[in-house]
PDB file of all heavy atoms in Angstrom:
ATOM      1  N   GLY A  97      -2.327  24.745 -23.856  1.00 78.00           N
ATOM      2  CA  GLY A  97      -1.030  24.226 -24.302  1.00 78.00           C
ATOM      3  C   GLY A  97      -0.011  24.193 -23.186  1.00 78.00           C
ATOM      4  O   GLY A  97       0.713  23.198 -23.009  1.00 78.00           O
ATOM      5  N   LEU A  98       0.044  25.250 -22.403  1.00 83.00           N
ATOM      6  CA  LEU A  98       0.981  25.304 -21.285  1.00 83.00           C
ATOM      7  C   LEU A  98       0.596  24.305 -20.194  1.00 83.00           C
ATOM      8  O   LEU A  98       1.464  23.703 -19.545  1.00 83.00           O
ATOM      9  CB  LEU A  98       1.024  26.721 -20.722  1.00 83.00           C
ATOM     10  CG  LEU A  98       2.181  27.063 -19.782  1.00 83.00           C
ATOM     11  CD1 LEU A  98       3.517  26.774 -20.440  1.00 83.00           C
ATOM     12  CD2 LEU A  98       2.092  28.512 -19.349  1.00 83.00           C
ATOM     13  N   LEU A  99      -0.705  24.117 -20.002  1.00 80.00           N
ATOM     14  CA  LEU A  99      -1.166  23.132 -19.012  1.00 80.00           C
ATOM     15  C   LEU A  99      -0.691  21.735 -19.383  1.00 80.00           C
ATOM     16  O   LEU A  99      -0.168  20.990 -18.541  1.00 80.00           O
ATOM     17  CB  LEU A  99      -2.696  23.172 -18.921  1.00 80.00           C
ATOM     18  CG  LEU A  99      -3.358  22.109 -18.031  1.00 80.00           C
ATOM     19  CD1 LEU A  99      -2.929  22.293 -16.580  1.00 80.00           C
ATOM     20  CD2 LEU A  99      -4.865  22.171 -18.147  1.00 80.00           C
ATOM     21  N   LEU A 100      -0.832  21.364 -20.658  1.00 81.00           N
ATOM     22  CA  LEU A 100      -0.378  20.048 -21.094  1.00 81.00           C
ATOM     23  C   LEU A 100       1.136  19.917 -20.975  1.00 81.00           C
ATOM     24  O   LEU A 100       1.651  18.856 -20.617  1.00 81.00           O
ATOM     25  CB  LEU A 100      -0.817  19.798 -22.534  1.00 81.00           C
ATOM     26  CG  LEU A 100      -2.320  19.559 -22.741  1.00 81.00           C
ATOM     27  CD1 LEU A 100      -2.640  19.459 -24.215  1.00 81.00           C
ATOM     28  CD2 LEU A 100      -2.760  18.302 -22.007  1.00 81.00           C
ATOM     29  N   ALA A 101       1.864  21.012 -21.248  1.00 86.00           N
ATOM     30  CA  ALA A 101       3.320  20.970 -21.131  1.00 86.00           C
ATOM     31  C   ALA A 101       3.749  20.749 -19.680  1.00 86.00           C
ATOM     32  O   ALA A 101       4.643  19.935 -19.392  1.00 86.00           O
ATOM     33  CB  ALA A 101       3.918  22.265 -21.678  1.00 86.00           C
ATOM     34  N   VAL A 102       3.091  21.464 -18.770  1.00 86.00           N
ATOM     35  CA  VAL A 102       3.437  21.311 -17.354  1.00 86.00           C
ATOM     36  C   VAL A 102       3.066  19.914 -16.853  1.00 86.00           C
ATOM     37  O   VAL A 102       3.824  19.288 -16.085  1.00 86.00           O
ATOM     38  CB  VAL A 102       2.742  22.401 -16.514  1.00 86.00           C
ATOM     39  CG1 VAL A 102       2.926  22.148 -15.023  1.00 86.00           C
ATOM     40  CG2 VAL A 102       3.281  23.771 -16.884  1.00 86.00           C
ATOM     41  N   LEU A 103       1.945  19.390 -17.298  1.00 85.00           N
ATOM     42  CA  LEU A 103       1.569  18.028 -16.922  1.00 85.00           C
ATOM     43  C   LEU A 103       2.587  17.021 -17.452  1.00 85.00           C
ATOM     44  O   LEU A 103       2.936  16.058 -16.756  1.00 85.00           O
ATOM     45  CB  LEU A 103       0.171  17.702 -17.444  1.00 85.00           C
ATOM     46  CG  LEU A 103      -0.988  18.394 -16.721  1.00 85.00           C
ATOM     47  CD1 LEU A 103      -2.299  18.135 -17.449  1.00 85.00           C
ATOM     48  CD2 LEU A 103      -1.082  17.945 -15.279  1.00 85.00           C
ATOM     49  N   GLY A 104       3.054  17.243 -18.675  1.00 86.00           N
ATOM     50  CA  GLY A 104       4.082  16.365 -19.234  1.00 86.00           C
ATOM     51  C   GLY A 104       5.382  16.426 -18.425  1.00 86.00           C
ATOM     52  O   GLY A 104       6.027  15.396 -18.186  1.00 86.00           O
ATOM     53  N   ILE A 105       5.767  17.632 -18.005  1.00 91.00           N
ATOM     54  CA  ILE A 105       6.967  17.775 -17.173  1.00 91.00           C
ATOM     55  C   ILE A 105       6.783  17.047 -15.840  1.00 91.00           C
ATOM     56  O   ILE A 105       7.695  16.367 -15.351  1.00 91.00           O
ATOM     57  CB  ILE A 105       7.275  19.271 -16.951  1.00 91.00           C
ATOM     58  CG1 ILE A 105       7.711  19.910 -18.273  1.00 91.00           C
ATOM     59  CG2 ILE A 105       8.347  19.455 -15.882  1.00 91.00           C
ATOM     60  CD1 ILE A 105       7.823  21.410 -18.219  1.00 91.00           C
ATOM     61  N   TRP A 106       5.597  17.179 -15.246  1.00 89.00           N
ATOM     62  CA  TRP A 106       5.326  16.499 -13.975  1.00 89.00           C
ATOM     63  C   TRP A 106       5.412  14.988 -14.123  1.00 89.00           C
ATOM     64  O   TRP A 106       6.023  14.305 -13.291  1.00 89.00           O
ATOM     65  CB  TRP A 106       3.957  16.906 -13.445  1.00 89.00           C
ATOM     66  CG  TRP A 106       3.562  16.171 -12.199  1.00 89.00           C
ATOM     67  CD1 TRP A 106       2.742  15.080 -12.102  1.00 89.00           C
ATOM     68  CD2 TRP A 106       4.004  16.445 -10.866  1.00 89.00           C
ATOM     69  NE1 TRP A 106       2.637  14.683 -10.801  1.00 89.00           N
ATOM     70  CE2 TRP A 106       3.399  15.502 -10.025  1.00 89.00           C
ATOM     71  CE3 TRP A 106       4.837  17.423 -10.313  1.00 89.00           C
ATOM     72  CZ2 TRP A 106       3.614  15.482  -8.658  1.00 89.00           C
ATOM     73  CZ3 TRP A 106       5.047  17.395  -8.941  1.00 89.00           C
ATOM     74  CH2 TRP A 106       4.442  16.438  -8.129  1.00 89.00           C
TER      75      TRP A 106
END
Side-chain angles (χ1 to χ4, degrees):
L98 194 55
L99 174 63
L100 289 175
V102 172
L103 288 172
I105 292 171
W106 176 261

